[in-house]
């Protein structure tokens, strides 16, 4: 038969399975143990993708990269400025007009400096895969949590 599942846009594109979305959904719903599954999956994905982009990296280094990428994805907020991108005025709760020197005004921890230059493309790819999978996992987690939320 010529039947093919249609994508989210209904344009007839096949739906590509996103196995990473399932443990991400569990993580978003409050199951911190899902982080072990996510790291394991990310490490395997990184190792497989490293051959495609011709990056030399060992499996144990893929595990370390996966842990760092997940940590940044979960909370990449710059601790020095609280994610605002501007320096705090000492002794106050106010922000100055000076950009934070640590995040250069982005409000996020510097991601790229965590990795060797030759591994940065692979690390960026892992984060983009997590972001893509989060697009599936986030709404599903909210549907699961919705009955327990008091929004009044």
């Amino acid at each position: 038969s010529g039947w093919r599942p249609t994508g989210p846009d209904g344009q007839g594109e096949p739906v590509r399975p996103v196995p990473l979305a399932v443990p991400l959904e569990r993580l978003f719903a409050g199951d911190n143990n899902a982080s072990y599954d996510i790291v394991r999956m990310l490490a395997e994905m990184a190792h497989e993708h490293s051959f495609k982009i011709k990056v030399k990296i060992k499996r144990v280094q893929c595990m370390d990269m996966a842990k760092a990428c997940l940590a940044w994805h979960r909370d990449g907020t710059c601790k020095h400025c609280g994610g605002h991108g501007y320096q705090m005025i000492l002794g106050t709760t106010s922000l100055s007009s000076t950009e934070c020197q640590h995040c250069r005004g982005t409000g996020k921890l510097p991601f790229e400096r965590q990795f060797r230059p030759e591994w940065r493309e692979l690390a960026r790819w892992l984060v983009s895969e997590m972001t893509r999978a989060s697009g599936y996992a986030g709404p599903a987690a909210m549907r699961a949590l919705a009955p327990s939320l008091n929004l009044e």
Side-chain angles (χ1 to χ4, degrees), residues 102-145:
H102 301 277
C103 68
R104 297 189 178 109
T106 64
K108 296 281 277 180
L109 289 172
F111 175 73
E112 304 239 335
R113 285 189 280 177
Q114 298 180 63
F115 306 101
R116 294 180 185 180
E118 63 270 21
W119 293 350
R120 289 178 182 162
E121 179 184 353
L122 184 59
R124 281 191 300 265
W125 178 81
L126 272 184
V127 169
S128 71
E129 288 297 300
M130 262 191 296
T131 302
R132 185 175 70 84
S134 295
Y136 294 94
M142 287 309 299
R143 281 191 300 277
L145 290 171

Side-chain angles (χ1 to χ4, degrees), residues 16 40-59 62 65 118-129 132:
R16 191 169 141 209
R40 187 180 43 74
M41 292 175 86
L42 287 175
E44 186 60 33
M45 290 167 61
H47 191 256
E48 288 176 14
H49 193 70
S50 70
F51 294 106
K52 293 177 186 170
I53 63 172
K54 295 177 178 38
V55 170
K56 290 185 180 184
I57 188 169
K58 295 177 182 170
R59 284 188 185 270
C62 287
M65 178 182 285
E118 63 270 21
W119 293 350
R120 289 178 182 162
E121 179 184 353
L122 184 59
R124 281 191 300 265
W125 178 81
L126 272 184
V127 169
S128 71
E129 288 297 300
R132 185 175 70 84

Side-chain angles (χ1 to χ4, degrees), residues 53-103:
I53 63 172
K54 295 177 178 38
V55 170
K56 290 185 180 184
I57 188 169
K58 295 177 182 170
R59 284 188 185 270
V60 70
Q61 294 165 324
C62 287
M63 286 293 281
D64 291 340
M65 178 182 285
K67 289 175 188 174
C69 288
L70 179 60
W72 187 86
H73 184 72
R74 286 181 80 177
D75 184 19
T77 303
C78 177
K79 306 302 183 248
H80 298 279
C81 67
H84 298 290
Y86 292 90
Q87 293 178 357
M88 299 290 291
I89 298 173
L90 292 176
T92 71
T93 57
S94 301
L95 298 173
S96 71
S97 60
T98 307
E99 279 189 355
C100 176
Q101 297 170 355
H102 301 277
C103 68

Side-chain angles (χ1 to χ4, degrees), residues 2-8 11-16:
W3 180 84
R4 294 172 64 176
T6 60
Q11 298 299 313
E13 292 298 316
V15 176
R16 191 169 141 209

